[in-house]
């Protein structure tokens, strides 16, 4: 989470930038910020689900 937040905060000036040439850099900043947010949320929600599923599979195989 710390790495994601560091990269996200580093990309915010790109996404929110104004001034000369900002219209060329803004899409890159938005893509970086959006990708980081989506990947972090996906990781935070899917990893525990996968571990729980694997734990249930191992418990079932032990009882058989």
């Amino acid at each position: 989470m710390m790495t994601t937040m560091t990269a996200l905060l580093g990309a915010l000036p790109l996404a929110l930038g104004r001034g000369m040439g900002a219209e060329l850099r803004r899409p890159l900043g938005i893509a970086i910020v959006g990708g980081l947010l989506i990947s972090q949320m996906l990781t935070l929600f899917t990893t525990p689900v996968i571990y729980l599923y694997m734990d249930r599979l191992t418990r079932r195989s032990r009882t058989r």
Side-chain angles (χ1 to χ4, degrees), residues 37-53:
L37 286 174
I38 289 172
S39 65
Q40 186 67 38
M41 289 300 125
L42 246 159
T43 302
L44 286 174
F45 288 120
T46 58
T47 303
V49 170
I50 291 171
Y51 276 113
L52 287 172
Y53 181 70

Side-chain angles (χ1 to χ4, degrees), residues 6-57:
T6 302
L8 185 119
L9 292 174
L12 276 180
L14 281 175
L16 302 175
R18 291 201 172 104
M20 210 166 159
E23 65 274 357
L24 295 174
R25 293 186 300 262
R26 186 172 291 155
L28 175 64
I30 292 171
I32 292 171
V33 170
L36 285 169
L37 286 174
I38 289 172
S39 65
Q40 186 67 38
M41 289 300 125
L42 246 159
T43 302
L44 286 174
F45 288 120
T46 58
T47 303
V49 170
I50 291 171
Y51 276 113
L52 287 172
Y53 181 70
M54 290 174 65
D55 184 49
R56 287 180 185 169
L57 283 175

